[in-house]
Amino acid sequence: MRKIVLFIAMSLDGYIADSNGGVGWLNGHGSDDENLDVYSEFVKDIDTILMGWNTYYQVATELSPTEWIYSDFITYVITHNERNSTDKIRFTDENPIDLLTKLKSETGKNIWICGGANLIQQLIHRDLIDQYYISVIPTLLGSGIRLFGSMEKEIKLKLQGTQTYNGITDLVYTRR
């Protein structure tokens, strides 16, 4: 069965974006030459992406406005904004829990939860994330958009692995 995987970066103090929604702080403490290509390794097991509208809009207008950088995958964008879907980008107002339940039962590779915070927190509250792949960036933002909000119950995780490069620490956990 397909796994639902959160692959995301956060500041050391737990934010995925600054107070303005910006992500310009997403880098290590040295040069890009010190970075590992963890993304390429991660996406080998992915064929589907799920993201919220704000994440989609930031990617499409700010981070990569000239080309859709996730063209190797089918991307579902949870939104109430009316948009025309394509074969690679599917806009939907379907409940993300229902959508993931359906997608998880289909044949395919893993499903990447790409963002944003509201979507992620809904999935965490329902304990639907099978694997957490979190890159901790060596910066303290002090405020912004939190990855983890308040939770109704504890979710126990098991550490599967760590790696460090350029001041960044990758943490990989699965549900216990």
Side-chain angles (χ1 to χ4, degrees):
M1 186 178 273
R2 303 168 86 178
K3 291 181 185 173
I4 299 171
V5 182
L6 174 63
F7 181 85
I8 200 161
M10 73 175 189
S11 65
L12 182 59
D13 53 350
Y15 296 99
I16 59 172
D18 65 24
S19 297
N20 298 317
V23 293
W25 52 272
L26 286 176
N27 49 37
H29 63 208
S31 69
D32 284 342
D33 295 342
E34 298 175 45
N35 285 329
L36 296 177
D37 186 7
V38 295
Y39 174 81
S40 294
E41 193 61 34
F42 170 75
V43 296
K44 288 179 183 177
D45 295 324
I46 299 296
D47 65 3
T48 305
I49 299 173
L50 188 67
M51 66 178 63
W53 171 259
N54 290 341
T55 302
Y56 165 79
Y57 189 78
Q58 185 175 47
V59 171
T61 63
E62 181 185 333
L63 302 177
S64 182
T66 59
E67 70 174 307
W68 182 243
I69 57 173
Y70 301 126
S71 61
D72 292 338
F73 314 99
I74 295 180
T75 301
Y76 290 86
V77 180
I78 305 296
T79 182
H80 296 295
N81 294 313
E82 298 256 343
R83 296 280 188 194
N84 292 327
S85 294
T86 67
D87 62 328
K88 292 294 184 173
I89 305 171
R90 299 176 184 173
F91 297 96
T92 180
D93 64 356
E94 187 173 352
N95 178 302
I97 308 305
D98 297 339
L99 176 59
L100 275 175
T101 300
K102 180 177 68 176
L103 290 173
K104 193 167 178 173
S105 69
E106 295 174 356
T107 303
K109 294 181 179 182
N110 294 338
I111 302 162
W112 171 18
I113 308 304
C114 184
N118 184 304
L119 172 62
I120 293 166
Q121 290 171 14
Q122 288 181 59
L123 302 179
I124 290 172
H125 284 265
R126 297 292 291 269
D127 197 13
L128 292 177
I129 298 175
D130 298 304
Q131 186 176 51
Y132 295 76
Y133 194 116
I134 300 172
S135 296
V136 180
I137 307 300
T139 199
L140 298 168
L141 292 176
S143 66
I145 300 171
R146 283 210 167 275
L147 175 56
F148 302 107
S150 62
M151 297 175 47
E152 298 171 6
K153 64 178 182 175
E154 176 183 17
I155 297 176
K156 295 186 180 289
L157 303 174
K158 180 178 181 182
L159 182 66
Q160 295 296 310
T162 63
Q163 65 181 356
T164 60
Y165 51 94
N166 197 7
I168 299 169
T169 301
D170 291 335
L171 305 168
V172 182
Y173 292 96
T174 55
R175 286 186 296 177
R176 283 196 255 163

